Amino acid sequence: MKKIGILTGGGDAPGLNAVIAGVIAQAKADGASVLGILRGWAGLLEKDAVVLDPSRAEGLATRGGTILFSSRTNPYKKPNGPQTARDNFAALGLDALIACGGDDTLGVARKLYDDFKLPVVGVPKTIDNDLSGTDRTFGFDTAVNIAMRAIDDLRVTAESHRRIMVVEVMGRHAGWIALWAGMAAAADVTIIPEVKMSVAEIAAILKRKKDLGRTSAMVVVAEGVELTDAMVTQDKSTDAFGHVKLGGVGKQLEQELEKALKWEARSVILGHLQRGGAPSALDRVIGLRFGLAAAGLVREKKWGQMVSLKGNEVVGVSLTEAVGKLRTVPPAFYEEARLFF
Ligand code: F6P
């Protein structure tokens, strides 16, 4: 019986458990067994794994998070890490490995495939929706809906106090969450990393609305926006993939706007709330279909490929097509949103 390993790495995303359920279901249909590697690449380096028998798939897609846990471990930053990953793949008796992750996790999968021809298949996951090679990643829809509802709710208190409310959402290099949530919740201005906007420009938009009689305003900003010439970070530490901990640009904007407009302002960082809770129907169904398709790529021995959504079809694309270049918001889409500012 063939044995398929599956791991989930990087920031969790609603829909990961649906992918796991899909893999288990397809593996069962194909007469294969599934081994869950725990804590992303850390589990492969430490041979930390659990058997996922078919009963584990029952109702799993309804739950957020990942039953396999996650980490940002990078085998390529550990002494002998890649070789250990390869050796433990064999020691665990695996025939294939399905890696669910964003650019970092899938970048490691691609390198292990390139360096050792390790039989890997990728599944695109990130709430940031910034992976190339697929029309969308799962987790994004849930995150956007959480952010949209938060903006709707925060508008209520902003109106009561006649304030500007700045809502900071996730999005390191790409403003997909900010743009979608901002458009959906009728934000007065949305600022994304891809389009540079000065505080003076943002203030001018809000002043125009104030002059027309508006007493409150909603501003959405992605965490990766550089108002000055640097991203705002929580501290100086970086993770194993070299990423800083973002957070605070919303506070910066709150203070600048209050100063510029003499209009009381407050800010909120939505942070990890955007990754919490149960997945939306869309993320559950995409997750399940991605899981089925990933196990399908394994059955067909399509190594070095990633499942991808193209329109409504789930297809396989090369991992090389997906990693290393982020999918950012096209300028024309931002221009559409700008018409509502
Ligand atoms: O999953 C991507 C992401 O949501 C980024 O937008 C964010 O900067 C990062 O994860 C934060 O993740 P963590 O705090 O879990 O390391």
Side-chain angles (χ1 to χ4, degrees), residues 42-81:
L44 190 58
L45 296 179
E46 296 166 28
K47 286 192 279 187
D48 190 10
V50 290
V51 173
L52 295 175
D53 61 54
S55 69
R56 291 302 297 272
E58 284 164 22
L60 190 54
T62 65
R63 291 166 55 190
T66 163
I67 57 164
L68 297 179
F69 312 110
S70 191
S71 74
R72 295 190 188 271
T73 305
N74 183 353
Y76 281 84
K77 283 283 154 64
K78 304 253 181 209
N80 274 326

Side-chain angles (χ1 to χ4, degrees), residues 254-329:
E254 170 210 305
Q255 290 167 346
E256 294 283 339
L257 289 175
E258 190 167 279
K259 200 161 63 180
L261 293 166
K262 310 272 173 298
W263 191 353
E264 196 179 24
R266 292 288 188 274
S267 60
V268 174
I269 299 180
L270 293 189
H272 297 85
L273 259 182
Q274 294 159 95
R275 300 209 310 235
S280 67
L282 188 66
D283 285 336
R284 294 181 199 193
V285 175
I286 292 177
L288 286 166
R289 293 181 70 204
F290 274 1
L292 295 172
L297 289 178
V298 167
R299 186 186 56 240
E300 291 158 26
K301 296 190 169 46
K302 297 246 174 89
W303 312 129
Q305 293 226 339
M306 178 188 88
V307 298
S308 148
L309 193 70
K310 300 277 185 192
N312 282 323
E313 297 300 310
V314 180
V315 298
V317 297
S318 147
L319 269 174
T320 308
E321 195 184 312
V323 300
K325 41 193 179 310
L326 291 176
R327 195 168 64 89
T328 51
V329 172

Side-chain angles (χ1 to χ4, degrees), residues 221-258:
V221 62
E223 62 180 354
V225 163
E226 299 182 14
L227 280 183
T228 50
D229 274 331
M231 284 175 163
V232 185
T233 59
Q234 291 177 39
D235 54 44
K236 291 198 182 341
S237 63
T238 52
D239 67 19
F241 291 91
H243 304 306
V244 288
K245 269 192 218 127
L246 294 177
V249 68
K251 185 79 193 166
Q252 199 181 56
L253 191 55
E254 170 210 305
Q255 290 167 346
E256 294 283 339
L257 289 175
E258 190 167 279

Side-chain angles (χ1 to χ4, degrees), residues 11 72 126-128 170-172 223 272 275:
R72 295 190 188 271
T126 163
I127 65 159
D128 291 350
M170 282 188 173
R172 195 164 268 276
E223 62 180 354
H272 297 85
R275 300 209 310 235

